[in-house]
Amino acid sequence: MNHWSTHQLTEFFAAVCAVQQEDRAIMVAVEQASEVLEAEIGAVLRDGRVEVAWGTSRDQLVAALGGEERPDTLTLAGLGELHVSSARFGSGSRGALLVARAGDPLDPEERQLLQAMAQTLGLALTNLSLLSAERSLREDREREAAERLALLESLREARHDSLTGLPTRVLFLEMLAERLACNTPTSVLFVDLDRFKAVNDSLGHRAGDELLGLVAQRVRACLRPTDTAARIGGDEFAVLLTDCEADQAVPVAQRLIDAIKVPFAVAGQEVFIGASIGIAAGPGPAPSEILGNADVAMYRAKTEGPGKVVLFEPQMHAEALARLTLNGDLQRALTLGEFRLQYQPLIDLSSGETVGVEALVRWQNPDRGYVSPADFVPMAEETGLISDLGRWVLNTAGRQAAAWRRTRPGLGINVNVSGRQLTDPQFAADVERMLADTRLPPEAVTLELTESVLMSDPKTAIACLRDLQDLGVDVSIDDFGTGYSSLSYLQRLPVDELKIDRAFISRENPTTADLAVIRTIVELARTLRLRTVIEGIETEAQRNAMRLLGCDLGQGYHLCRPVHPENLLASLGTAEPGRRAA
Amino acid sequence: MSTGMNDVSTGARWFGTGHSTLTDPAAAGAEAAAGALDGRVPAVVFVFCSVGYQVPELFDAVRAQAGPDTVIVGCTTSGQLGDGRVSRAGVAMTAWGGAGFAVRTQVARGATGRLREAGAQAASCLAAVGSEHRALLIIGDGLTGATHEIVRGAFSVAGAAVPLAGGCAGDNLTYVRTYQFHGGRDGVEILSDTVIGIAIGSDRPLGVGLAHGWQKQGDAMVVTNSRDGRVLELDGEPALDVFLRRLGVGDSALDDPAAFRDLAFHHPLGLSRRSGEDIRVIHDGDLSDRSLICLADVPQGALIWMMTSDHDSLLDSAGEASGQALEALGGVPALGMLVFDCAARWIKLGEAGVQQENAEIGKRLDGVPYGGFYTNGEIGRVRGALGMHHFTLVTLALA
């Protein structure tokens, strides 16, 4: 009796054709043929090779077939002798569907079914081969279309910034060239955002991207329809003002700065940023040169402080070149050991004793000679070299102070710390390692941070200062009074000392107004239980005035100039210092 | 994935069974373990129990007597047999040990949705057993559906030379949740949705038998539309309509699902095979698409018959399955036998019938110990490539 129906052949065909890969189709065919015919073994042979085996391994079947394609029987370990039936399929790619069964050989009807299955498989494989070729062709076409689309997209993206929708540098320069070709006065504003990096770092790139989009809207809103704004890259924008001389561009630039100063609502927070703008004008130079000039002017604006507008002047190129050279020299200076430290004493104004010294970094370059810290420290900050330089200063000053303290045990050491160092996650560990290496007591070390560093991001500063406070070192606010300290933050900042900026006693004989400001700061410090240091004491009159006002410590050329370490002890005399009075 | 192992063990070969119907799992486990192990260190212990016993304490006693390489496996059931007794609620343990046995296991977890892969994974433990005679036991979760895919996966690894036996875990026919057990002396995991492969190796023959005692009734039908275990059409007509008409009942037969299941238990479908029929128990009817629902595949295009049986034929099949396994030992005396009996046969036979069936097996084995459980689907493959059964009794005899 038949155990199968012709419907099963339809099912066999459907199952084999349901898969799209040839090897899967063959596997399905072998499994189904074995199951329907109740065979222990199933296989497909193509070109005399066993391609797929079911119920045994391919190697075992190859060995059992012994090179024959259609033996009557085969013997497999554990199964004994099996009756073999096979049916050929295909015309192009010829093969055979084989089953091997224990017990009874296939009866004529079963062989007929096997034959039909084999032919079905051949048909399915031919179809799959055609479909595969067609699919491959279609995929090629789709890939080509996708590539064309991607190319168009990339061309479009090359001309339009996907984030802001503004033209890119490429399109901006094309538009600038068009304007210049008309020989009309054209100004270019190069806009660089201030404090954008802080937003990106603290709120994340997504917030940074959102902010750039909002800035783009504000920039556009400040312009005439005939003007063009573009995103040049990162947090840099450019503006093309048509029919506009350079001096006429200044108020526009100022308007942009004012618009960008207004807080932005980003990621659920109010974000304060600013902008520095450089202006260059044409016609005359080539479009890319005008944009480059505006960039150089912007750079100068940046060095003058946030929110500045600077018109390009030709000598700025030379300055920019000089800065590039300086940067290169600076990079080498640390490796070549060109930095030195000088130390300037801090004097107790009431007793006249030296209680500590401030380490001041000096750079003596073989070609340049002495380079002012005011020139190289900002660049070191900008390039990140400040981290290595600051670590060198910290360790060198620490070792020197430890050496001095063998003869002057109470001597303290003040070390300047940049904003970048403060937020470096490694900084507290660096300080801790220095303390361990030098065996300096933490209270002998005061780290000086400028007011602007602390106030640009007070929340982060407080967190970083807490780490330092945990180590036991003191923290001083340097140049106090020049920034815009919020009194509420001052109360919350974990600091120990205020260093009043020299600007308040710049006159040989301080005026009443000068003294009033200093008195206020000293009283504020007392209230907050902070030590005060007055910088820049140049005259005896200043020293007396500061002493009478109650300043704890003083520093300045009148008291002692910065000296090389080998000369320090001699310049101090033998008086025993007594540090710290709050 | 986890593996258990027992390399070739030593000492005199033995096979033991224990059984307890005590309600406290720890006490029941101790009683069953005492009967099965009798102080001997087993290579493997099979623990079959009714739902409710699947707590760690059940295994305390057997773990205490286990060796470092002892494998403990098992599952919850819809009844178990051992020590010559049958229970609906209780624990049966079957164990063996001694020289020449090897046991390796592999657990495939999260089997639902990847049953074929899980079957292949479970069967991979065979590779570590190099004995002359090998068999693969499979314990599955009886609620995963499409359990034939487990067998396909296992066959793809085991091949035709290794017989398959086993059954799917039950929960006293409530179809809520079943549990599988796997572990050893250090602890036993209580799992669900797994396929456990137990590779049995022996230096003496292993024999698998299977029989069901059903006969074809009426004309063959063609399965013109089906999807896995759901039969949508027979001979081009809604399958439920054909089934109800042949039984001479109407749609109202489905009003009470339990009553319909009971009715359908007595009239399974049979897929014609060269070596007999594969029985498919109908578990439900779906009025929405007028389909019949079976727990194993009913291939579209296949010829199918309504099946009928009688009490004596079912009892005879128990002896027949036992006899087949013994005969497969090729004249070597049997040491013991594992039994995987369909839970639906219990319903068909009734309480008294089950006792008769047990006696039939005992009579055929003539003192050879045996144990096992009532399953939610039986696995048995000796011939061909298929091996998922219903309403069948599968046996594995060890020499």
Side-chain angles (χ1 to χ4, degrees), chain A residues 404-425:
Chain A
W404 282 328
R405 283 172 64 92
R406 287 185 206 118
T407 50
R408 296 180 67 89
L411 192 74
I413 180 77
N414 282 34
V415 177
N416 290 286
V417 175
S418 76
R420 196 151 175 163
Q421 274 179 286
L422 181 67
T423 53
D424 181 346

PDB file of all heavy atoms in Angstrom, chain A residues 404-425:
ATOM      1  N   TRP A 404      64.229  72.283  50.174  1.00  0.00           N
ATOM      2  CA  TRP A 404      64.376  73.476  51.018  1.00  0.00           C
ATOM      3  C   TRP A 404      63.866  73.233  52.437  1.00  0.00           C
ATOM      4  O   TRP A 404      64.397  73.777  53.386  1.00  0.00           O
ATOM      5  CB  TRP A 404      63.605  74.647  50.397  1.00  0.00           C
ATOM      6  CG  TRP A 404      64.355  75.264  49.228  1.00  0.00           C
ATOM      7  CD1 TRP A 404      65.695  75.352  49.059  1.00  0.00           C
ATOM      8  CD2 TRP A 404      63.760  75.861  48.082  1.00  0.00           C
ATOM      9  NE1 TRP A 404      65.999  75.973  47.871  1.00  0.00           N
ATOM     10  CE2 TRP A 404      64.811  76.305  47.239  1.00  0.00           C
ATOM     11  CE3 TRP A 404      62.450  76.088  47.654  1.00  0.00           C
ATOM     12  CZ2 TRP A 404      64.597  76.951  46.029  1.00  0.00           C
ATOM     13  CZ3 TRP A 404      62.245  76.742  46.456  1.00  0.00           C
ATOM     14  CH2 TRP A 404      63.293  77.166  45.650  1.00  0.00           C
ATOM     15  N   ARG A 405      62.810  72.473  52.528  1.00  0.00           N
ATOM     16  CA  ARG A 405      62.196  72.287  53.844  1.00  0.00           C
ATOM     17  C   ARG A 405      63.102  71.515  54.809  1.00  0.00           C
ATOM     18  O   ARG A 405      62.810  71.472  55.996  1.00  0.00           O
ATOM     19  CB  ARG A 405      60.838  71.568  53.698  1.00  0.00           C
ATOM     20  CG  ARG A 405      59.741  72.506  53.201  1.00  0.00           C
ATOM     21  CD  ARG A 405      58.475  71.746  52.882  1.00  0.00           C
ATOM     22  NE  ARG A 405      57.907  71.125  54.060  1.00  0.00           N
ATOM     23  CZ  ARG A 405      56.987  71.699  54.858  1.00  0.00           C
ATOM     24  NH1 ARG A 405      56.570  72.926  54.589  1.00  0.00           N
ATOM     25  NH2 ARG A 405      56.526  71.060  55.909  1.00  0.00           N
ATOM     26  N   ARG A 406      64.177  70.938  54.267  1.00  0.00           N
ATOM     27  CA  ARG A 406      65.119  70.280  55.194  1.00  0.00           C
ATOM     28  C   ARG A 406      65.800  71.324  56.076  1.00  0.00           C
ATOM     29  O   ARG A 406      66.125  71.072  57.226  1.00  0.00           O
ATOM     30  CB  ARG A 406      66.164  69.485  54.407  1.00  0.00           C
ATOM     31  CG  ARG A 406      65.571  68.232  53.812  1.00  0.00           C
ATOM     32  CD  ARG A 406      66.613  67.368  53.133  1.00  0.00           C
ATOM     33  NE  ARG A 406      65.956  66.564  52.111  1.00  0.00           N
ATOM     34  CZ  ARG A 406      66.218  66.621  50.816  1.00  0.00           C
ATOM     35  NH1 ARG A 406      67.161  67.412  50.359  1.00  0.00           N
ATOM     36  NH2 ARG A 406      65.546  65.881  49.965  1.00  0.00           N
ATOM     37  N   THR A 407      66.011  72.531  55.510  1.00  0.00           N
ATOM     38  CA  THR A 407      66.618  73.591  56.321  1.00  0.00           C
ATOM     39  C   THR A 407      65.579  74.624  56.752  1.00  0.00           C
ATOM     40  O   THR A 407      65.761  75.324  57.736  1.00  0.00           O
ATOM     41  CB  THR A 407      67.735  74.299  55.533  1.00  0.00           C
ATOM     42  OG1 THR A 407      67.232  74.665  54.250  1.00  0.00           O
ATOM     43  CG2 THR A 407      68.945  73.388  55.388  1.00  0.00           C
ATOM     44  N   ARG A 408      64.489  74.744  55.992  1.00  0.00           N
ATOM     45  CA  ARG A 408      63.415  75.682  56.364  1.00  0.00           C
ATOM     46  C   ARG A 408      62.096  74.905  56.410  1.00  0.00           C
ATOM     47  O   ARG A 408      61.284  74.947  55.469  1.00  0.00           O
ATOM     48  CB  ARG A 408      63.319  76.819  55.352  1.00  0.00           C
ATOM     49  CG  ARG A 408      64.572  77.701  55.324  1.00  0.00           C
ATOM     50  CD  ARG A 408      64.416  78.808  54.314  1.00  0.00           C
ATOM     51  NE  ARG A 408      63.389  79.765  54.692  1.00  0.00           N
ATOM     52  CZ  ARG A 408      63.604  80.860  55.439  1.00  0.00           C
ATOM     53  NH1 ARG A 408      64.814  81.115  55.895  1.00  0.00           N
ATOM     54  NH2 ARG A 408      62.610  81.680  55.725  1.00  0.00           N
ATOM     55  N   PRO A 409      61.876  74.179  57.490  1.00  0.00           N
ATOM     56  CA  PRO A 409      60.766  73.207  57.541  1.00  0.00           C
ATOM     57  C   PRO A 409      59.377  73.819  57.301  1.00  0.00           C
ATOM     58  O   PRO A 409      58.478  73.117  56.857  1.00  0.00           O
ATOM     59  CB  PRO A 409      60.865  72.636  58.961  1.00  0.00           C
ATOM     60  CG  PRO A 409      62.230  72.967  59.427  1.00  0.00           C
ATOM     61  CD  PRO A 409      62.645  74.209  58.729  1.00  0.00           C
ATOM     62  N   GLY A 410      59.198  75.094  57.566  1.00  0.00           N
ATOM     63  CA  GLY A 410      57.843  75.646  57.420  1.00  0.00           C
ATOM     64  C   GLY A 410      57.561  76.234  56.055  1.00  0.00           C
ATOM     65  O   GLY A 410      56.463  76.764  55.822  1.00  0.00           O
ATOM     66  N   LEU A 411      58.519  76.181  55.146  1.00  0.00           N
ATOM     67  CA  LEU A 411      58.352  76.853  53.850  1.00  0.00           C
ATOM     68  C   LEU A 411      57.269  76.172  52.999  1.00  0.00           C
ATOM     69  O   LEU A 411      57.267  74.957  52.828  1.00  0.00           O
ATOM     70  CB  LEU A 411      59.688  76.828  53.093  1.00  0.00           C
ATOM     71  CG  LEU A 411      59.740  77.739  51.872  1.00  0.00           C
ATOM     72  CD1 LEU A 411      59.862  79.208  52.288  1.00  0.00           C
ATOM     73  CD2 LEU A 411      60.937  77.362  50.982  1.00  0.00           C
ATOM     74  N   GLY A 412      56.381  77.014  52.489  1.00  0.00           N
ATOM     75  CA  GLY A 412      55.317  76.475  51.632  1.00  0.00           C
ATOM     76  C   GLY A 412      55.643  76.697  50.160  1.00  0.00           C
ATOM     77  O   GLY A 412      56.531  77.473  49.821  1.00  0.00           O
ATOM     78  N   ILE A 413      54.927  76.006  49.300  1.00  0.00           N
ATOM     79  CA  ILE A 413      55.162  76.149  47.854  1.00  0.00           C
ATOM     80  C   ILE A 413      53.827  76.392  47.154  1.00  0.00           C
ATOM     81  O   ILE A 413      52.848  75.674  47.390  1.00  0.00           O
ATOM     82  CB  ILE A 413      55.879  74.903  47.280  1.00  0.00           C
ATOM     83  CG1 ILE A 413      56.142  75.027  45.773  1.00  0.00           C
ATOM     84  CG2 ILE A 413      55.117  73.611  47.556  1.00  0.00           C
ATOM     85  CD1 ILE A 413      57.307  75.921  45.450  1.00  0.00           C
ATOM     86  N   ASN A 414      53.785  77.439  46.341  1.00  0.00           N
ATOM     87  CA  ASN A 414      52.589  77.725  45.544  1.00  0.00           C
ATOM     88  C   ASN A 414      52.863  77.349  44.086  1.00  0.00           C
ATOM     89  O   ASN A 414      53.903  77.710  43.547  1.00  0.00           O
ATOM     90  CB  ASN A 414      52.248  79.222  45.608  1.00  0.00           C
ATOM     91  CG  ASN A 414      51.563  79.581  46.909  1.00  0.00           C
ATOM     92  OD1 ASN A 414      51.863  78.997  47.955  1.00  0.00           O
ATOM     93  ND2 ASN A 414      50.660  80.544  46.856  1.00  0.00           N
ATOM     94  N   VAL A 415      51.944  76.618  43.505  1.00  0.00           N
ATOM     95  CA  VAL A 415      52.107  76.181  42.113  1.00  0.00           C
ATOM     96  C   VAL A 415      50.872  76.611  41.335  1.00  0.00           C
ATOM     97  O   VAL A 415      49.735  76.416  41.782  1.00  0.00           O
ATOM     98  CB  VAL A 415      52.262  74.639  42.034  1.00  0.00           C
ATOM     99  CG1 VAL A 415      52.368  74.186  40.590  1.00  0.00           C
ATOM    100  CG2 VAL A 415      53.497  74.188  42.808  1.00  0.00           C
ATOM    101  N   ASN A 416      51.105  77.204  40.161  1.00  0.00           N
ATOM    102  CA  ASN A 416      49.977  77.627  39.316  1.00  0.00           C
ATOM    103  C   ASN A 416      49.400  76.437  38.548  1.00  0.00           C
ATOM    104  O   ASN A 416      50.144  75.598  38.042  1.00  0.00           O
ATOM    105  CB  ASN A 416      50.443  78.689  38.329  1.00  0.00           C
ATOM    106  CG  ASN A 416      50.752  79.996  39.043  1.00  0.00           C
ATOM    107  OD1 ASN A 416      49.852  80.720  39.458  1.00  0.00           O
ATOM    108  ND2 ASN A 416      52.032  80.276  39.250  1.00  0.00           N
ATOM    109  N   VAL A 417      48.091  76.411  38.467  1.00  0.00           N
ATOM    110  CA  VAL A 417      47.400  75.308  37.789  1.00  0.00           C
ATOM    111  C   VAL A 417      46.454  75.898  36.751  1.00  0.00           C
ATOM    112  O   VAL A 417      45.711  76.840  37.051  1.00  0.00           O
ATOM    113  CB  VAL A 417      46.599  74.467  38.815  1.00  0.00           C
ATOM    114  CG1 VAL A 417      45.776  73.400  38.116  1.00  0.00           C
ATOM    115  CG2 VAL A 417      47.535  73.833  39.832  1.00  0.00           C
ATOM    116  N   SER A 418      46.497  75.353  35.539  1.00  0.00           N
ATOM    117  CA  SER A 418      45.622  75.871  34.486  1.00  0.00           C
ATOM    118  C   SER A 418      44.252  75.196  34.555  1.00  0.00           C
ATOM    119  O   SER A 418      44.087  74.161  35.207  1.00  0.00           O
ATOM    120  CB  SER A 418      46.246  75.595  33.121  1.00  0.00           C
ATOM    121  OG  SER A 418      46.068  74.235  32.809  1.00  0.00           O
ATOM    122  N   GLY A 419      43.318  75.797  33.848  1.00  0.00           N
ATOM    123  CA  GLY A 419      41.965  75.227  33.821  1.00  0.00           C
ATOM    124  C   GLY A 419      41.963  73.841  33.245  1.00  0.00           C
ATOM    125  O   GLY A 419      41.247  72.942  33.701  1.00  0.00           O
ATOM    126  N   ARG A 420      42.772  73.653  32.226  1.00  0.00           N
ATOM    127  CA  ARG A 420      42.812  72.349  31.568  1.00  0.00           C
ATOM    128  C   ARG A 420      43.360  71.289  32.516  1.00  0.00           C
ATOM    129  O   ARG A 420      42.900  70.142  32.506  1.00  0.00           O
ATOM    130  CB  ARG A 420      43.686  72.455  30.323  1.00  0.00           C
ATOM    131  CG  ARG A 420      43.504  71.326  29.377  1.00  0.00           C
ATOM    132  CD  ARG A 420      43.778  71.804  27.980  1.00  0.00           C
ATOM    133  NE  ARG A 420      43.715  70.700  27.053  1.00  0.00           N
ATOM    134  CZ  ARG A 420      43.597  70.838  25.752  1.00  0.00           C
ATOM    135  NH1 ARG A 420      43.503  72.040  25.237  1.00  0.00           N
ATOM    136  NH2 ARG A 420      43.566  69.806  24.969  1.00  0.00           N
ATOM    137  N   GLN A 421      44.357  71.689  33.305  1.00  0.00           N
ATOM    138  CA  GLN A 421      44.900  70.744  34.291  1.00  0.00           C
ATOM    139  C   GLN A 421      43.840  70.379  35.319  1.00  0.00           C
ATOM    140  O   GLN A 421      43.693  69.219  35.712  1.00  0.00           O
ATOM    141  CB  GLN A 421      46.080  71.368  35.025  1.00  0.00           C
ATOM    142  CG  GLN A 421      47.426  71.221  34.343  1.00  0.00           C
ATOM    143  CD  GLN A 421      48.467  71.913  35.166  1.00  0.00           C
ATOM    144  OE1 GLN A 421      48.532  73.145  35.183  1.00  0.00           O
ATOM    145  NE2 GLN A 421      49.266  71.133  35.869  1.00  0.00           N
ATOM    146  N   LEU A 422      43.139  71.405  35.783  1.00  0.00           N
ATOM    147  CA  LEU A 422      42.165  71.173  36.851  1.00  0.00           C
ATOM    148  C   LEU A 422      41.135  70.132  36.458  1.00  0.00           C
ATOM    149  O   LEU A 422      40.735  69.280  37.248  1.00  0.00           O
ATOM    150  CB  LEU A 422      41.466  72.489  37.224  1.00  0.00           C
ATOM    151  CG  LEU A 422      40.443  72.383  38.347  1.00  0.00           C
ATOM    152  CD1 LEU A 422      41.125  72.046  39.669  1.00  0.00           C
ATOM    153  CD2 LEU A 422      39.645  73.672  38.487  1.00  0.00           C
ATOM    154  N   THR A 423      40.680  70.216  35.189  1.00  0.00           N
ATOM    155  CA  THR A 423      39.626  69.284  34.758  1.00  0.00           C
ATOM    156  C   THR A 423      40.196  67.978  34.207  1.00  0.00           C
ATOM    157  O   THR A 423      39.438  67.089  33.833  1.00  0.00           O
ATOM    158  CB  THR A 423      38.748  69.940  33.679  1.00  0.00           C
ATOM    159  OG1 THR A 423      39.611  70.430  32.645  1.00  0.00           O
ATOM    160  CG2 THR A 423      37.932  71.081  34.241  1.00  0.00           C
ATOM    161  N   ASP A 424      41.518  67.877  34.172  1.00  0.00           N
ATOM    162  CA  ASP A 424      42.133  66.611  33.745  1.00  0.00           C
ATOM    163  C   ASP A 424      41.856  65.554  34.822  1.00  0.00           C
ATOM    164  O   ASP A 424      42.208  65.737  35.987  1.00  0.00           O
ATOM    165  CB  ASP A 424      43.648  66.833  33.591  1.00  0.00           C
ATOM    166  CG  ASP A 424      44.364  65.566  33.116  1.00  0.00           C
ATOM    167  OD1 ASP A 424      43.744  64.485  33.166  1.00  0.00           O
ATOM    168  OD2 ASP A 424      45.527  65.675  32.707  1.00  0.00           O
ATOM    169  N   PRO A 425      41.197  64.446  34.450  1.00  0.00           N
ATOM    170  CA  PRO A 425      40.841  63.433  35.459  1.00  0.00           C
ATOM    171  C   PRO A 425      42.064  62.887  36.213  1.00  0.00           C
ATOM    172  O   PRO A 425      41.936  62.369  37.315  1.00  0.00           O
ATOM    173  CB  PRO A 425      40.188  62.326  34.635  1.00  0.00           C
ATOM    174  CG  PRO A 425      39.872  62.924  33.321  1.00  0.00           C
ATOM    175  CD  PRO A 425      40.775  64.082  33.098  1.00  0.00           C
TER     176      PRO A 425
END
